Amino acid sequence: MRLTAINPMAVTKYWLVLLGLAFLVSCSDAPQSIQFSGNTMGTTYSVTLFTKDPRHTEREIRKKVDVVLAQVNAQMSTYDPESELSRFNQHRSRQPVVISRALERVVSRALEIGQQTDGQLDITVGPLVNLWGFGPMAKPEQVPSAEQLDQVSEYVGYKKLSIENHQLIKQHPQLYVDLSTIAKGYGVDRVAFLLDDLDINQYLIEIGGEIRTRGGKPDGQPWRVAVEKPVSTERTVQQIVSMNEGALATSGDYRNFYQENGRRYSHIINPLTGEPIQHNLVSASVYADDAMSADAYATALLVMGTEQAKVFVQQQNLAAFLVLKTDDGFQQWVSPAFEPLLEKRE
Ligand code: ADP
Ligand code: MG
């Protein structure tokens, strides 16, 4: 056996290979998966994430998420009489009120989508919602009268609300802002920003069915989420959606409604008629970059009803998934931009 001298270059290379291997091993370390859920905004939330940073613990992240959600509630809840929004609502004057950046952001996006939809998304619809029994007040004993509806409509209308110099202004002292339709989506976005700041880039966040994801799963697979079948009797899947990045929100009138004298009253109000919607569009899902917009558009489509929603989706090139109720059961309609998200059945 002959010994050969090892030249220094070869040694360096050898170490580089070893170092490379060590690096590969550390990279292929499975990331830890963290999952938790809780209550917020009168519903539940859940967070699933993957991280390789050993400093991240479930306890610490959950604590931070809860702080963010408590803050959003303190700003926008109409169920909390002390919230920033409730105080604005109680302020019976046309005097401008300085508002937080968060509230400004949500109200201005809602007003923007209000304009785009000709007032079908209307965050001043609250008094009508309450009259029909779906707001922070109790269910009404009876259906509101035409006079009651007329009276309330004096201070309903998104054009009666404006923002100037970071101040919120109502044109009628009784105007009341209800952000229920967009606040859950905004809450999801805020949790997403928090996780982004923590350098966590694989996550799925959900509040009351509104979802935002980033980065797919460690095995390279996208996140899979289910759009529910629009029935109130059970929770079953209508469609599986696969997504890496982005937000998905669904609005439906199949869970939150009441029935009286054979008529079904939805919690979504058509601001143009002042009455709960009544048509064959039972669920609308929208995929967008942010959950706040997805949430608002989903509600707006539901107000519009099938035909108008399809036209709007095409005009705005939205990624939307509609479920219609027909005599032969449920039918679905998918816009071209939503098509790539559908999980194909084998
Ligand atoms: P859900 O997740 O329960 O479907 P949505 O995001 O669709 O909730 O919002 C429904 C809530 O929005 C209602 O409970 C009501 O407070 C409010 N709302 C009802 N109609 C409208 C409307 N046309 N524009 C804006 N908000 C509305
Ligand atoms: Mg909504």
Side-chain angles (χ1 to χ4, degrees), residues 3-4 19-20 46 49 75 112 124 136 161 186 204 214 217 231 245 247 251 260 272 281 286 288 290 292 303 312-313:
L3 289 172
T4 40
L19 274 176
S46 66
L49 62 92
Q75 286 161 329
E112 214 172 78
T124 70
L161 179 71
Y186 178 71
L204 184 150
R214 185 170 170 199
K217 288 191 275 186
V231 290
E245 315 263 342
S251 191
E260 198 164 285
L272 310 179
L281 178 58
V286 172
D290 64 289
M292 168 169 71
V303 176
F312 183 80
V313 164

Side-chain angles (χ1 to χ4, degrees), residues 68-264:
V68 163
L69 292 174
Q71 197 182 19
V72 175
N73 261 297
Q75 286 161 329
M76 314 189 181
S77 170
T78 44
Y79 290 80
D80 172 4
E82 300 292 319
S83 75
E84 187 184 2
L85 184 62
S86 290
R87 276 184 280 120
F88 174 76
N89 284 335
Q90 289 149 17
H91 164 81
R92 290 282 148 87
S93 140
R94 281 178 290 213
Q95 276 297 316
V97 174
V98 177
I99 51 171
S100 63
R101 271 178 55 187
L103 191 56
E104 177 174 355
R105 197 186 163 128
V106 176
V107 171
S108 62
R109 185 68 178 131
L111 291 178
E112 214 172 78
I113 298 179
Q115 206 150 28
Q116 262 177 25
T117 60
D118 278 331
Q120 298 195 77
L121 182 88
D122 191 333
I123 54 169
T124 70
V125 86
L128 286 171
V129 174
N130 290 341
L131 215 48
W132 287 100
F134 289 105
M137 296 171 206
K139 192 184 133 181
E141 289 300 307
Q142 54 189 19
V143 167
S145 68
E147 291 76 53
Q148 276 177 305
L149 289 174
D150 243 19
Q151 196 194 1
V152 158
S153 59
E154 242 179 73
Y155 46 91
V156 169
Y158 73 101
K159 288 187 177 154
K160 298 171 187 157
L161 179 71
S162 56
I163 299 178
E164 266 169 56
N165 288 328
H166 314 294
Q167 302 177 98
L168 196 54
I169 308 161
K170 44 176 127 180
Q171 272 172 32
H172 191 293
Q174 265 172 291
L175 184 129
Y176 172 100
V177 180
D178 169 14
L179 295 174
S180 312
T181 187
I182 190 169
K184 274 184 283 166
Y186 178 71
V188 168
D189 288 336
R190 283 285 295 271
V191 174
F193 300 148
L194 166 74
L195 299 185
D196 290 346
D197 280 348
L198 294 172
D199 269 336
I200 294 168
N201 43 39
Q202 288 181 306
Y203 56 69
L204 184 150
I205 303 157
E206 177 261 339
I207 302 180
E210 322 303 11
I211 289 164
R212 181 158 168 166
T213 63
R214 185 170 170 199
K217 288 191 275 186
D219 60 2
Q221 293 297 311
W223 296 99
R224 296 172 75 235
V225 299
V227 174
E228 276 187 329
K229 213 181 249 314
V231 290
S232 57
T233 45
E234 53 174 346
R235 293 204 167 214
T236 47
V237 176
Q238 171 75 31
Q239 174 69 47
I240 300 284
V241 170
S242 312
M243 54 198 275
N244 282 314
E245 315 263 342
L248 181 75
T250 300
S251 191
D253 85 335
Y254 52 97
R255 202 168 299 289
N256 203 344
F257 65 88
Y258 69 88
Q259 229 147 355
E260 198 164 285
N261 299 331
R263 190 179 150 184
R264 206 177 128 128

